[in-house]
Amino acid sequence: MRVKDPWDNQLTKPLLTLFLFISVCGFIINSFYQIQQTRSFSEDVRAQVKAQTLNAAAEVGEELEKIMTSVDRFAREVTATPDKTFVLKLLEDEFAVNEDIYSLNVTFHPYQYQHNVRYFSPYFERLTGIERKYNLVDYDKPYKEFSWYHRPLKEGPIWTEPYYEPQNNVLMTTYSVPFYQYKNAKREGKLPLGVVPSDISLDHLTASLKELDLGLGGYGILFSEQQNLISHPVFSHVREMENLGDLVSETEFAYLSKIAGCFEKDLDYLFFNGETLDNSEHYAACTKVPHTNWTLITRMSSDMFYMDRDERRQNNIHIIAWGAASFIFLILLMTKIRKLTWTQNNILLSVTLILSTSLVLEFARSFKTLEQTDNVVITTQAQREAFSSSYSDRMETMHVATPEYVATGLYVESLEFVNANNVHLTGHAWQKLSASQKTSVEPKLAFNHTVNSKIEEAYRQDLKDGGLLVGWRFSIETRQQFDYSKYPFDHKSIELSFNEADMGGNVILVPDLESYEKLSKMDNPAVSPDIVLDEWLLKSSYFKYRFESYNTDFGLDTFFNQNVAPELNYNINIEREFIGPFVTTLLPVMVMVCLLYACVVSMKYTPYGDLRNNITAVVFTILLAHYSIREHLQIDEVVYFEIFYFLLYLVSSLFMLIAHQYYKAKEETGDGRIYKRLANIWFWPVMTISIFIITILTYY
């Protein structure tokens, strides 16, 4: 009896048309959803960044306005006082009752207070918390430091360019307003009699920046009108009054050259995403501070804006799957209406599925999740200071004493996988204690999650600032649970976890970033450039904090932060080189598939016994290759590439069944073409669609 070919059924064409329509609709709907999700996330990020930046600028502006309002009012009172000899008493009273100002001064033009007094400039200040009184002199000299006196006489009320005041080790700015002999003197064109200046520390002025919620690694910085850095989490940059032109040549500030629009005079507000900054984990925005021409730049870390990378990957896989299905049904429909031959159908289906599989692998690689959302990556000094400040504030809300932050460094010289889950590392580590910490903190170092650990002190020396440097050599074997399920397209994130070795001590280790020349993730600051990684590629490495949560206090009364304990880690991200697995694993599989197809093609010309022996030989070769990969990996789980071997077992068995039916039909009816077509035409499409489905299930 002749078997009827289901392809000739009348329902085939309408069913293919229906499936094509459903697939195209699925592709359009999922693509639209993904675009909407991406746009919504982008809009949410922009809105939050804008709100935070404008609020920060407004808070700084409010502090400025308080000073301006007080000084303007007092200058009017001085102008309205007929007898200027009462100005000193007026000044004393104003300074005593006005808590919004930290210094106040009345400076008369030489000989304008009294004809026999050249300099009269009483100055009251409490910038450091202690009230002091001075009388300033020589302010009429044409020096830049006296711009607070000369400029208001010509320009009216002004904010001076911030300047460093070494006596109090602070950065200062001055608001200065001219006053007159009497109330209508200015209207009558009279010259000012002097000025009323008030100094304010930028530490106080920018305190609101440190309180902003910009993420644990985010921070705000200020540039003056002359583009000098006047506020930054790392005060050394501010103390040096570094200029924009010099800063852009430094690695940490290289991003400033890409946001040059922030320094335009007509700036209102600008936003920059991670792509612009070459750092997908941070966003930046800038605006002008009210009442000044200062530029505020905020950088916000990615922990402020959670993006579910798993969901993004899954959505992209949905789009690829629906797109591939659309092409498959379109190709089948065109074959049905005889626009394509079966050979063309075979090739187009296989190419479509291979390209779709490649896209799935690429999206899986691009949207892999390396970090948990609560991990804080530290790659700059500013991020480190911002994290320390944020954590100290958190401890304060818990009524816990501020911890000691101990600078800790690391340099990895070798890395080797001992087995599937154990990694052996060697290198150097060190700690720097400040002069004040030497008496209260004992330099100690240990590593968490190790099965073998050997740490020897290598050097100990006193630092010029009175601190202490202690270095160790280490050789450790750390144990982690690595995921091999995606072999050979897998990556590993090796965590070298520090332990301050003082359980219950109020000590937090912070990365000693000053000891490294380059700090970006791609620069791998703490990994030797000559490190040998065998079949792995070093992709990035960086310091980070991971918040460990313990359900015990280990019996210690001083172990108070078991729910928010930040653990300093050095993360080394590596990716498997494809060429090695390709030669040892993928190439043999490709050869076996081709041999199996050769058996399929030769079915018409080969006796049944010979064909069976040929397939058996191929299956035996597959078994040996499968055993080889299991022996190489030494793991318990089934990996992605290993599923191909199971697929080959299934295809071989299925082909043996088809061959049996072919020979049986040929013997009984003399016509086994349907089985020959089934084997020849659908071999590659079935193989590629199986690989496509396996890839989706693995990386979804």
Side-chain angles (χ1 to χ4, degrees), residues 668-679:
E668 293 178 352
T669 65
D671 185 7
R673 284 179 297 175
I674 184 173
Y675 298 107
K676 181 176 179 298
R677 178 192 292 180
L678 186 63

Side-chain angles (χ1 to χ4, degrees), residues 166-317:
Q167 182 175 352
N168 294 315
N169 192 35
V170 293
L171 205 65
M172 309 281 290
T173 187
T174 304
Y175 179 65
S176 190
V177 182
F179 69 90
Y180 297 84
Q181 182 68 45
Y182 52 90
K183 188 174 182 180
N184 294 323
K186 181 179 180 180
R187 192 178 308 161
E188 296 172 2
K190 302 292 185 181
L191 294 176
L193 198 63
V195 298
V196 176
S198 177
D199 299 330
I200 182 172
S201 164
L202 286 187
D203 280 349
H204 169 73
L205 189 63
T206 60
S208 57
L209 293 182
K210 300 177 182 178
E211 298 172 0
L212 290 174
D213 182 16
L214 303 177
L216 286 169
Y219 57 93
I221 61 177
L222 273 175
F223 282 89
S224 70
E225 185 175 2
Q226 296 181 13
Q227 299 182 355
N228 292 320
L229 185 62
I230 59 176
S231 179
H232 191 276
V234 182
F235 185 69
S236 60
H237 295 305
V238 177
R239 185 174 57 243
E240 300 295 331
M241 289 291 288
E242 295 182 84
N243 188 267
L244 174 65
D246 299 323
L247 288 171
V248 293
S249 61
E250 300 181 21
T251 303
E252 182 176 346
F253 294 96
Y255 70 92
L256 293 174
S257 62
K258 300 182 180 181
I259 58 174
C262 291
F263 301 97
E264 299 292 336
K265 290 187 177 180
D266 58 349
L267 169 69
D268 178 31
Y269 171 81
L270 286 176
F271 169 84
F272 302 91
N273 59 20
E275 294 174 0
T276 304
L277 301 173
D278 285 341
N279 186 346
S280 61
E281 296 187 344
H282 285 81
Y283 305 89
C286 56
T287 189
K288 292 293 185 184
V289 175
H291 313 298
T292 71
N293 203 29
W294 298 349
T295 301
L296 169 66
I297 299 175
T298 55
R299 293 204 70 187
M300 296 171 207
S301 58
S302 58
D303 59 87
M304 287 266 305
F305 318 104
Y306 173 67
M307 178 185 73
D308 192 335
R309 298 177 70 88
D310 291 333
E311 183 181 359
R312 288 283 296 273
R313 182 185 67 253
Q314 291 166 1
N315 289 341
N316 284 317
I317 290 177

Side-chain angles (χ1 to χ4, degrees), residues 47 295 351 373 406 542 564 617 692:
T295 301
V351 169
T373 56
V406 177
Y542 46 85
V564 291
F692 179 57

